[in-house]
Amino acid sequence: RGPIRATVRVDANEVIGEVHPEVYGHFIEHLERCVYGGIWTEDGSALRSDTLRLIQALKPSVVRYPGGNFASGYHWEDGIGPKDQRPRRFDQAWQSEESNQVGTDEFMTFCREVGAKPFLVVNDGSGTPEEAARWVAYCNQDASGEQGSRRAANGHPEPYGVHWWGVGNEVWGQWQIGATDAEAYTKRLREFVAAMRAVDPSIRIVAVGDKVMSGAPSDPGAKWNEAVLREAGDLIDDLSFHLYQPDRDGWQDEYDPEELHKTVTAAPLDAERIIQRIGRQIKALTPEREIGVAFDEWNLWLAPSDDAQSMHDTAYSRRDALYVAGMLHVFHRQCKLVSMANLAQMVNVLPLIKTNETSAFATAIYFPMQMYRQMEKIVIQSDVKGPVFTSQRLGNIDEVVNAPYIDVTATRDASRKRVVLGVINRHPEKRVDLSVRLSGLDKLKPRRGWLLSSRDLMAVNSFEDP
Ligand code: AHR
Ligand code: AHR
């Protein structure tokens, strides 16, 4: 009946590393109602002020765009210039009727409005290295260059200075335009990077990697990553992977709610093992380089409800907010490996924010993303003593043994004047009585706390009750 008891020792002298701000990253794709009717109005003529306010309060560090799968068929030049002259193409089933009303310049304006760095993914499916190189030039050249002057003519004389560039998306997946094997991909990657870096040698290249679900050498993801690291490890900066948990293999008609709560809240600990496997591959195959793990699509993806608009229309509860917070703890613990992470997606697609014609609201998973932006940069050691549980395997989520109910991440600033702790209570009902011991710090006074909770465990925000 009583609360869970736990103690945590935090030692400010034991530094784990520094968190890359890009782990608080996001993703918007031309998919369903993320862009049109989500971040922008239905016709793409303006940013929606209601959505924009919510996104600004999140302080997103980086936003990935334009996809996802969409990127592999996207010709960026269709999305610049006078809006009434932009072509309307419907070569991809999920493209909206308003295609190309939002393009590069609109996306850059959005990034500026919300204070985020842009991360662009080039089309290596139906596109060419030359087309990608022109995009780099359009974004980064000064206004006197061929592409820079095109940008200036569209009203943007100052270069955008886009640092992060992805080459392709899930190229290993048969649904992807241009899907191929790792050998053919790395060959293509080399050509793309050469053309893009000829324009701007300083850009950061994120290559397509894959999740490594087991320690077996025959693991398909491990084999893909190995080939990319061997053949292109000299020229990439980050290796990406995507993970939706438990993904469609884990969709059931009915769940035991208690077991599902355990599995969902422990799932980030399984993702952590995947990150560590990829980290070990990077270390073994490119020891002389510092290639980051770019976890550039992640989210909880359970079955949508019967009245959902699409398979991506899921409702998130407090349990799911614990999932997101748990993932942020993993990014802190693994800050030496994880260079970027992008919650997929920002609006209406596995949504952090949901919109209809007249309003926008934040779902439960929005709040941990907002709260953890308060954390400091330096991750320090924290050791928790408290009860644990074992969660069951579901879909692509493996069993987790000894998952701690109480999970803590501790951060401090360089001057040791400010310490911020993140605390998760994975128990569905019990309160936690936590005692915290800080060492290696002068007297600090508690300043402020943020609590995310709900009286009803499965309560969700909605248009009626935002
Ligand atoms: O987020 C939706 C889709 O899921 C993305 O387009 C793709 O990259 C992933 O498979
Ligand atoms: O819908 C095709 C693919 O299946 C998605 O892009 C991927 O996330 C899912 O597993």
Side-chain angles (χ1 to χ4, degrees), residues 42 65 86 97 111 152 159 176 203 234 247 249 273 277 284 315 337 343 401 443-444 457:
E42 297 285 348
Y65 173 84
R86 298 183 191 179
E97 287 208 20
C111 286
Q176 204 70 218
I203 60 174
D234 57 324
D247 217 333
D249 317 340
R273 297 189 282 226
R277 286 183 202 115
L337 300 178
L343 181 70
V401 181
K443 295 164 221 108
L444 293 181
L457 178 61

Side-chain angles (χ1 to χ4, degrees), residues 47 136 212 245 271 297 322 435:
L47 286 161
V136 176
V212 181
Q245 293 178 298
E297 284 183 34
L322 290 171
S435 83

